Amino acid sequence: MASSASDLSGLGLLTWVYPPGLVDRVVAACGRAEQRRRLLPARLVVYFVLGLALFSPAPYLEVMRHLVAGLRGLGLLGDWHVPAKSSLFRARQRLGFEPLQVLFAATAKPMADEGTPGAFWRGLRVLAVDGTCWDVADTEANQAAFGRPGSGRGAMRSAFVQVRMAALVEVGSHAVLDAELAGCPRTLNQPCITYGKSSPRPVTVSVRTERVSRRPCPASRS
């Protein structure tokens, strides 16, 4: 995560990791391509959301200003200006989560090779699973979708709605290979990840509050 929004250094790094052509194909495949010319085209909104993820405490407008700073310096923005925060919020809503989900699935892959320390054990790639929880806005829609974890005090439930994430990580590079989200009620199924879905021997893991469990399924060498 960037230590400040200025560390985002414009669109250069993001477009290197996520080429514009790939982003455009993902946006089109998810049905989010705009039908008319907009101040905030879908491609830019994808990079904007990625910028928010890199530095989540930064205000919307600050993230957008730093994303396009390099383009302005090259004279490529013309009369384009950073829109109001409300416009950025509506653009995020129009985009939805599907393009980001598809983009992640298309680009998340192992980064370590045979020479990376700790990446392999007896020819098998070493992976780790971990989980975390986030507080989200206390709205009726979020509560219906995710619920609240239990609590030993008061109303026996937490003050905030929470989302639980399980992530599968390559140990040698710390690259996140897969992730799933679920709610936090005590009775809800835990997030479950299947890595290598197209492999004849996929690995399925699930994250619980008390422990990590693994279905007995051998890992593939890829």
Side-chain angles (χ1 to χ4, degrees), residues 27 30-34 38 40-42 44-46 48-49 52 60 64 84-100 137 139 141-142:
V27 167
C30 294
R32 297 301 194 275
E34 54 273 356
R38 291 182 178 273
L40 289 169
L44 179 58
V45 179
V46 169
F48 170 63
V49 175
L52 292 175
Y60 272 32
M64 180 58 79
K85 180 179 178 180
S86 58
S87 297
L88 294 172
F89 180 78
R90 289 193 297 271
R92 280 193 72 182
Q93 287 187 315
R94 284 196 305 270
L95 183 69
F97 70 88
E98 291 90 349
L100 281 301
T139 64
N142 280 343

Side-chain angles (χ1 to χ4, degrees), residues 160-182:
F160 292 95
V161 180
Q162 287 190 337
V163 176
R164 176 173 295 155
M165 182 194 74
L168 196 64
V169 182
E170 183 182 44
V171 172
S173 67
H174 296 181
V176 177
L177 305 182
D178 203 353
E180 293 290 344
L181 302 177

Side-chain angles (χ1 to χ4, degrees), residues 130-211:
D130 200 359
T132 188
C133 290
W134 293 295
D135 292 338
V136 296
D138 190 4
T139 64
E140 292 183 2
N142 280 343
Q143 181 166 328
F146 303 112
R148 301 170 187 264
S151 172
R153 294 182 290 180
M156 301 296 291
R157 64 177 189 172
S158 69
F160 292 95
V161 180
Q162 287 190 337
V163 176
R164 176 173 295 155
M165 182 194 74
L168 196 64
V169 182
E170 183 182 44
V171 172
S173 67
H174 296 181
V176 177
L177 305 182
D178 203 353
E180 293 290 344
L181 302 177
C184 282
R186 291 176 175 175
T187 58
L188 191 69
N189 291 333
Q190 309 302 323
C192 186
I193 296 176
T194 300
Y195 177 63
K197 298 178 179 65
S198 60
S199 168
R201 298 190 300 172
V203 175
T204 301
V205 293
S206 62
V207 173
R208 301 179 183 275
T209 304
E210 305 85 5
R211 64 187 182 278

Side-chain angles (χ1 to χ4, degrees), residues 18-39:
Y18 304 103
L22 172 61
V23 173
D24 289 345
R25 290 194 298 273
V26 167
V27 167
C30 294
R32 297 301 194 275
E34 54 273 356
Q35 301 301 313
R36 58 187 176 88
R37 191 177 182 87
R38 291 182 178 273
L39 185 64

Side-chain angles (χ1 to χ4, degrees), residues 17-19 22-23 26 50 100-111 175-177:
V17 178
Y18 304 103
L22 172 61
V23 173
V26 167
L50 293 172
L100 281 301
Q101 187 178 52
V102 174
L103 185 64
F104 172 73
T107 55
K109 60 183 179 181
M111 304 296 291
V176 177
L177 305 182

Side-chain angles (χ1 to χ4, degrees), residues 56-135:
S56 55
Y60 272 32
L61 296 179
E62 184 179 355
V63 171
M64 180 58 79
R65 279 194 292 266
H66 282 287
L67 281 177
V68 301
L71 300 179
R72 188 175 300 281
L74 295 174
L76 300 178
L77 287 185
D79 59 355
W80 189 90
H81 62 278
V82 175
K85 180 179 178 180
S86 58
S87 297
L88 294 172
F89 180 78
R90 289 193 297 271
R92 280 193 72 182
Q93 287 187 315
R94 284 196 305 270
L95 183 69
F97 70 88
E98 291 90 349
L100 281 301
Q101 187 178 52
V102 174
L103 185 64
F104 172 73
T107 55
K109 60 183 179 181
M111 304 296 291
D113 57 27
E114 295 287 348
T116 304
F120 289 85
W121 179 78
R122 295 190 177 182
L124 298 177
R125 189 179 301 274
V126 181
L127 307 179
V129 64
D130 200 359
T132 188
C133 290
W134 293 295
D135 292 338

